[in-house]
């Protein structure tokens, strides 16, 4: 083994913990600034009645989808304040889109974040999706307490030394979660927070 080549234990070591076990922020000063992008998703289960209220705008707290999308954008922008060891980064793009899915019984949330810098934006995308899902719950809990937030997960990431990664889709165990966050046929995707030209659904 070459002296400069890291050992297996070093490769497997958690990067946010130093050799003494103390938490630390990873030093990214030596990393190149490259374009980076990440997509995350979440699914919020709702009863048919509650989903209709959300779609029709009949919820007494107001526009659930619009508020949740904006909340997701705001949450994604504050990721480094919420997650202790995340770097504050300059986002160049941050979008949250929510698509109702009656067949699956809920709302599909998709968050996409981008930057040009020395570290990735996976946490920003995941935080945006999670905050949007929590906001949905907060806005509908008055009419339905049994709402569930499911499948918060990274879908893909690109950029940086590790390159591109895309989740390999697997059939859901109970069939309740759609394999894609693309809008349902005939319904345009809602988006909030896109910097620059908005994506067409």
């Amino acid at each position: 083994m070459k002296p400069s080549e890291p050992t297996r234990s070093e490769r497997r070591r958690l990067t946010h913990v130093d050799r003494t076990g103390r938490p630390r922020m990873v030093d990214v000063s030596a990393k190149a600034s490259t374009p980076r992008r990440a997509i995350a998703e979440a699914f919020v289960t709702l009863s048919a009645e509650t989903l209709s209220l959300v779609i029709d705008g009949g919820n007494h707290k107001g526009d659930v989808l619009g508020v949740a999308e904006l909340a997701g954008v705001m949450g994604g922008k504050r990721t480094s304040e919420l997650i202790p060891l995340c770097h504050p980064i300059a986002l160049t793009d941050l979008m949250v889109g929510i698509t109702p899915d009656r067949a699956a019984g809920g709302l599909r949330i998709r968050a996409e974040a981008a930057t040009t810098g020395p570290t990735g934006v996976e946490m920003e995308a995941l935080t945006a999706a999670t905050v949007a899902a929590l906001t949905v719950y907060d806005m509908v809990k008055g009419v339905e307490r049994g709402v569930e937030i499911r499948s918060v997960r990274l879908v893909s990431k690109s950029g940086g030394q590790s390159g591109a990664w895309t989740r390999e889709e697997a059939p859901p165990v109970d069939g309740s979660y759609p394999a894609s966050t693309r809008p349902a046929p005939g319904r345009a995707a809602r988006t909030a927070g896109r910097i620059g030209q908005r994506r067409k659904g």
Side-chain angles (χ1 to χ4, degrees), residues 9 23 25 37 46 50 66 69 92 110 148 158 167 173 196 201:
S9 62
M25 181 180 285
R37 185 170 294 271
L46 301 170
T50 303
E69 288 171 345
T92 57
R110 179 185 180 93
E148 294 184 12
S158 61
R167 178 177 295 278
V173 176

Side-chain angles (χ1 to χ4, degrees), residues 19-31:
R19 295 183 183 280
T20 65
R22 299 172 66 181
R24 64 160 192 172
M25 181 180 285
V26 176
D27 183 359
V28 297
S29 57
K31 292 186 176 182

Side-chain angles (χ1 to χ4, degrees), residues 154-177:
L154 183 68
V155 176
S156 64
K157 57 88 62 181
S158 61
Q161 186 176 0
S162 61
W165 177 89
T166 301
R167 178 177 295 278
E168 294 183 4
E169 291 292 351
V173 176
D174 59 1
S176 62
Y177 189 75

